[in-house]
Amino acid sequence: PPWNGQWQWSTTCHGTILPGGTGADYQVPLTQPAGSYTYYLWAHNACGNSNCVSSTVNITATVTPSVSISPASSTTVCPGHTVSFTATPTNGGSPTYQWWLGGANVASGPTYTTPPLNSNTTVYCIMTSTANCTEPDNHATSATTNITVTSVTATASSNSPVCSGATLNLSSSGGNSYSWSGPPAFNSQLQSPGIPNAQPSQSGTYTVTVTGNGGCTATATTIVTINQTPTVSISASSTNIASGQSVTLTASGATNYSWSNGLGSGSPVNPSPTSTTTYTVTGTSNGCSATASVTINVTPQPGCSFSVTPLVINTDSNGTVQTVNVTQVTGSNCSWSASVSGNCPWLSIVNGSGSNSGSFTVNITPNTGVATRTCQVNIDTLVIQITQTGYSNMNSNCPQLSPVL
């Protein structure tokens, strides 16, 4: 039969009726603090039948989920390095995670390690909570971590090539500290170290490691060449000769040679000094030079003397070939040698040496300049004075012409 009785809800059996507790259903108020509550229902009718039953209700507090990641805020790394992150949940239950790198969803799980980084980027995490009674929903987003990639640009240079015995200077830039290495066992912590008395065995590749901000490093290299400085020497056919004789000087130890005393370049050379003379040669190889010297002692030929004709040669600007006669006056088996004194490229001697009496020729090239020029030819202690007029002086040698109509 239909129920024709009364319902009474209370916190004890047959206790004080709760507000709104006179119906078959009772709405538990959720404004009360979280906890465990027992509610009793007493039912009775006019026939005197009644019964009391109970039910326990657990009220859970509302929670707000959140998540944080470390490292947080910002971090700095070197090029090619990675960064590892860990998520820490609050009110997450058994949460799930989504990691975002530079705006892209890249991973799940409570931890994440970036790939090697070469440019600035950002990282954040979204957590999905499984806890009960979350608000406003079950998602939480961490703060964003800014990752800055600090780069270092290293440079390396030197004053190579240098010659052995010189100082090799190395130089670098781009950082706060420096570490050099090179052949054969070179090491330095200086930014710009020097290697005095450098030798060819120290040629090769030098590497510098540059450390910048954040401990980031970069390397650079420079190739160094150290050329051997030549050891130059002179050998003489004789270091003691008589006046008028020639000597052969041969240089060795280098590739190219340049002589003092107007002897020019190359090797060997054959000077005929009339007095004791010191000759110096500069030898050069691979851009490196060294010098050597030799002294030739000249003694007059005993009992030998000569006469020379002419002792004065005057010529016009056209150039000419002059014959010079050498006559032995005293002595026997005497030798003589003719040499040009000074810088006179316009004058050359042919067959300029001999024994006893003889002759040689002097070639005088045309003078196209306007100035008169002079030069000397030495034979033993004798001097031949040569003068050649300039081109403008030719007019005085030309006959005057009378025009004829």
Side-chain angles (χ1 to χ4, degrees), residues 305-349:
S305 64
F306 300 90
S307 64
V308 175
T309 57
L311 286 173
V312 176
I313 298 175
N314 294 314
T315 181
D316 59 26
S317 62
N318 292 325
T320 184
V321 177
Q322 297 284 334
T323 299
V324 177
N325 296 307
V326 180
T327 303
Q328 181 177 320
V329 178
T330 61
S332 62
N333 297 320
C334 298
S335 61
W336 53 269
S337 178
S339 61
V340 177
S341 175
N343 184 18
C344 302
W346 50 277
L347 185 150
S348 61
I349 296 174

Side-chain angles (χ1 to χ4, degrees), residues 200-300:
S201 60
Q202 294 169 300
S203 297
T205 300
Y206 285 74
T207 301
V208 61
T209 299
V210 177
T211 302
N213 296 333
C216 299
T217 61
T219 60
T221 60
T222 183
I223 298 176
V224 166
T225 300
I226 303 171
N227 293 316
Q228 179 65 53
T229 299
T231 300
V232 179
S233 62
I234 301 174
S235 63
S237 57
S238 176
T239 57
N240 296 283
I241 63 173
S243 176
Q245 293 181 328
S246 64
V247 63
T248 299
L249 304 179
T250 303
S252 61
T255 304
N256 300 299
Y257 303 96
S258 178
W259 295 86
S260 66
N261 302 81
L263 295 182
S265 60
S267 178
V269 293
N270 299 282
S272 300
T274 58
S275 61
T276 298
T277 304
T278 298
Y279 296 94
T280 300
V281 66
T282 299
T284 303
S285 294
N286 297 319
C288 299
S289 299
T291 62
S293 298
V294 64
T295 298
I296 305 301
N297 300 303
V298 178
T299 58

Side-chain angles (χ1 to χ4, degrees), residues 185-208:
F186 174 75
N187 289 282
S188 176
Q189 305 305 310
L190 298 176
Q191 179 179 356
S192 299
I195 304 176
N197 192 28
Q199 299 300 317
S201 60
Q202 294 169 300
S203 297
T205 300
Y206 285 74
T207 301
V208 61

Side-chain angles (χ1 to χ4, degrees), residues 44-62:
H44 62 92
N45 59 18
C47 297
N49 298 319
S50 65
N51 191 22
C52 187
V53 296
S54 65
S55 177
T56 299
V57 176
N58 293 315
I59 298 178
T60 301
T62 301

